[in-house]
Amino acid sequence: MVPIVIVGNKCELEFKDVRREIAETITLYDWQCGYVECSAKENYNIVQVFKELLAQAKKKKKKKKKKKKKKRRRRKKQKSRRKKKEERRRRKKREEEEKKKKKKREEEEEEEKKKKKKEEEEEEEEEEEEEKKKREEEERRRRREEEEEEEEEEEEEEEEEEEEEIISKEKRELWTI
């Protein structure tokens, strides 16, 4: 921005259209620029006009530097915020990935447990079936043996009966004689 100074010339005259206090107040507070009354005729406050210009230029330069500094700080803060935000986003993404991996591992472990349980159940079923077959086989063998024993007993009984019959025949024959 260009430094601006309002200069009230001909201050040596007694008659003035605008009073000094009013002009100074308006320029300083409303327009925010400098105000100097001078007289070119009497060489009064001429140097003061240039001093005021230089002072304003210096002041504006300082303001500009402050603005730049402020702007740099703001950018730095924004950059820092963006960086933190990006870091949080990455951390959150990493945590989500870790959760997914953990969940996947747990599911795989659960699935493995189910497989093992199923295999165990199948093994138990096979063992039970084998046991059942053994029992059935044992039962058949025992029945066969019983049947054989019964047959043998029957045969023995038949033989005994036959013997008794033979003996009884012989006795009858003996008595008949």
Side-chain angles (χ1 to χ4, degrees):
M1 295 206 65
V2 179
I4 300 172
V5 176
I6 305 296
V7 179
N9 197 15
K10 298 186 181 185
C11 69
E12 77 273 1
L13 297 176
E14 285 187 30
F15 176 72
K16 296 180 183 179
D17 287 340
V18 180
R19 286 194 343 227
R20 178 186 173 165
E21 294 84 24
I22 294 172
E24 203 169 48
T25 305
I26 291 173
T27 54
L28 284 173
Y29 296 107
D30 291 345
W31 299 343
Q32 296 177 351
C33 57
Y35 177 77
V36 178
E37 282 193 351
C38 69
S39 171
K41 186 178 180 183
E42 294 177 1
N43 199 21
Y44 172 74
N45 272 351
I46 299 297
V47 175
Q48 186 65 28
V49 171
F50 292 100
K51 281 184 179 179
E52 181 66 27
L53 278 171
L54 290 172
Q56 276 194 17
K58 203 172 188 181
K59 194 176 180 183
K60 293 206 179 196
K61 194 173 183 182
K62 280 183 182 179
K63 278 186 178 180
K64 198 173 184 181
K65 275 186 179 181
K66 277 185 178 180
K67 276 187 177 180
K68 279 185 179 180
K69 207 172 186 181
K70 208 174 186 180
K71 201 172 185 180
R72 267 188 259 131
R73 275 194 217 127
R74 197 177 316 119
R75 282 184 191 153
K76 198 173 180 179
K77 282 182 181 179
Q78 286 175 344
K79 191 175 180 181
S80 174
R81 283 188 204 126
R82 273 189 251 123
K83 201 173 184 179
K84 285 178 182 177
K85 191 175 181 181
E86 183 66 24
E87 193 175 306
R88 279 191 300 257
R89 189 186 61 78
R90 282 190 204 133
R91 192 179 317 120
K92 189 175 181 181
K93 189 175 180 181
R94 234 187 344 253
E95 287 173 355
E96 287 176 358
E97 287 175 357
E98 286 175 5
K99 283 181 182 178
K100 285 180 182 178
K101 286 179 181 179
K102 187 178 180 183
K103 189 175 181 182
K104 189 175 181 181
R105 267 186 271 140
E106 288 174 351
E107 288 174 351
E108 288 174 351
E109 287 174 356
E110 188 67 32
E111 199 170 302
E112 191 67 32
K113 284 180 181 178
K114 285 180 180 178
K115 278 184 178 180
K116 282 183 179 180
K117 190 174 181 181
K118 190 175 181 182
E119 287 175 358
E120 287 174 357
E121 287 175 351
E122 287 176 353
E123 286 178 7
E124 285 179 6
E125 285 177 6
E126 286 177 3
E127 287 176 1
E128 285 177 4
E129 204 159 304
E130 283 180 23
E131 236 178 80
K132 189 177 178 183
K133 283 181 180 179
K134 281 182 180 180
R135 274 190 244 125
E136 287 176 351
E137 186 66 35
E138 183 68 29
E139 183 68 27
R140 277 192 231 126
R141 190 182 59 75
R142 191 179 56 77
R143 281 187 187 159
R144 260 187 274 131
E145 285 179 357
E146 283 179 354
E147 285 176 358
E148 285 177 358
E149 281 180 11
E150 283 180 6
E151 282 179 10
E152 282 179 12
E153 281 181 10
E154 282 179 10
E155 281 180 13
E156 280 180 12
E157 280 180 10
E158 280 180 15
E159 280 180 13
E160 279 180 12
E161 281 179 13
E162 277 180 17
E163 252 180 49
E164 278 182 20
E165 250 180 64
I166 291 175
I167 291 176
S168 111
K169 255 186 187 180
E170 282 179 3
K171 275 184 178 178
R172 265 189 245 149
E173 277 180 15
L174 272 176
W175 281 99
T176 45
I177 316 185

